[in-house]
Amino acid sequence: MPPIVRADGLVKRYGGFTAVAGVSFDIPAGCCFGVLGPNGAGKTTTLRMILGMTPMTAGSLSVFGLGMPADGRAIRRRIGVVPQADNLDPDFRVDENLEVHASYFGIDAATARARVPELLAFANLTDRRHAKTDTLSGGMKRRLTIARALINAPDLVMLDEPTTGLDPQARHVIWSRLAALKARGTTLLLTTHYMEEAERLCDELVIMDQGRILDRGTPRELIRRHVEPEVIEVRAGDTARFRAFAEHHGCRLEQQGMSLYCYGQDSAPLLGFLQQDADLVYLHRPAGLEDVFLRLTGRELRD
Amino acid sequence: MAADWSLPRPGRGALAVWRRNLRVWRKLLAPAVVLNFGEPTLYLLGLGFGLGAFIDTMSGMPYLVFLASGIIASSAMTTASFEATYSVFTRMQVQRTYEAMLATPLTLDDILAGELLWCATKATFSAAAILAVATLLGVVGGWQALWVLPLAFLIGLCFAGPALVMSAVSDNYDFFNYYFVLGVTPMLILSGVFYPIEGLPEGAQAAIQVLPLAHAIALTRPLVAGLPVNDVLLHVAVLVAYAAGGFHVALALTRRRLLV
Ligand SMILES: Nc1ncnc2c1ncn2[C@@H]1O[C@H](COP(=O)(O)OP(=O)(O)O)[C@@H](O)[C@H]1O
Ligand SMILES: [Mg+2]
């Protein structure tokens, strides 16, 4: 089966600044594909190029086997989009937002009206169907935006940081909706900087920084490839003696503020050491995507 | 970029944008009707009868006929100009409605074409309201006045084009003050709505012939008064030129602004 999206050497330059510096990837049908990257990595720019909203400086792009930008209209007809910042239409109620959005796809009014109840149920918004959009909470707006993205029964849904800024309850509801979409076989393209989100939802992901793809794989593959299996995080206490001990045992150490991160294969002797010193506060856990992410993109702040 | 200046290629999607705006307008029908009927009624009653008491005829017609036929054109102008600046800017920048539309099969060409048609539609509504009031006041010369409705649509296109250029380059609502104070209001006062332009100095008359409102009035006035219409082709050509030129420049500048 041909890939849903095939991006080859995508470049976007703004004047002298390179926002996307030649990224290539393909997204198989039915996959939930994640783009994980800090702020400014070029995630949104990449999605906009796939939609034809941002002209690419170089590279080539085919979606559903059609070429961008020549077949832009036909491509967008089969995509649903959840943008990074909500852009619901404040002039309309909840149900009208779906109907009006349907009209942009050329879907006739009767068909659109028939689809609305199912989409509102999917988004848990049935009882808010007559509400004005500016009375909705952040989580409800996101759910409505997801419902809106499904109005054209898309083959590909692109979500740009769908849960950024939401509280944990709202985030979990969104995750369950996305999992339901995935179960139906809809191909998803998701950007995020939440590791938990990527680990839960994505079958495959790329880690992106400064316009480049640093690596690609399943969450497990990336963890295995880039970090040791176990992490001990020492959060308080005098770590000087422990540091020497850990180094002697071949651990890789990273200091971040007050915390010392110790990555290694076998933590048993280190834990034995830590248990003897009651002043040392520590956490022992398996390595995760976050460790991969920090290893690849560094620990400096991004704004 | 050269691509920004390529010819407009709007498709049927423009009608979806037009219908969206109509749907919003229908929700606010009551205040819209009050505005469309109330304002011209006040003008015609207040100015028409008040000034009409001193002015018997103007350009060979009763003052109320002169005024009503001018206000039909100027009202189409202001309606289209407001819609294409404040309202379009709100949808383009403030509400980011265009961004949502651009993620669908719609193109920017469709969107701006839909906006242009909508501005002209609103201009037609306002002209129709004034025509109705003028008819009740007994100042309309006959059935040929119905030509004012398609003409008001064209006048709406003509003024929406340049106003869309303002939306394409504006960073905020205040910017539109320049356009209205330096462009729309002088045209309203000088182009022959309230008095014939023949009274103005010759230089001013020549300048006014370059601007579209005088041409719009040159068509509405005889149509309403029931007189023969002269130089139709010239006047229509000026209106079409402003509509087409304005739309093309507006589209190019909006492409440059949004499709980055
Ligand atoms: N229109 C633009 N003009 C100039 N620079 C831009 C523009 N859009 C984005 N950028 C820059 O491109 C980089 C990537 O942006 P973006 O794709 O939004 O990143 P992300 O979505 O990963 O946070 C950022 O440094 C951003 O400031
Ligand atoms: Mg972004």
Side-chain angles (χ1 to χ4, degrees), chain A residues 14 17-20 37-46 84 160-161, chain B residues 260:
Chain A
Y14 292 109
F17 176 75
T18 304
V20 176
N39 284 334
K43 305 184 295 295
T44 299
T45 307
T46 303
Q84 186 166 357
D160 198 358
E161 301 193 15
Chain B
V260 290

Side-chain angles (χ1 to χ4, degrees), chain A residues 54 73 76 87 89 96 99, chain B residues 20 23 99 104 110 260:
Chain A
T54 288
R73 265 187 216 271
R76 288 192 297 274
N87 55 19
D89 198 326
E96 290 174 319
E99 291 172 20
Chain B
R20 177 223 171 262
R23 192 167 178 173
E99 185 190 80
T104 73
D110 299 335
V260 290

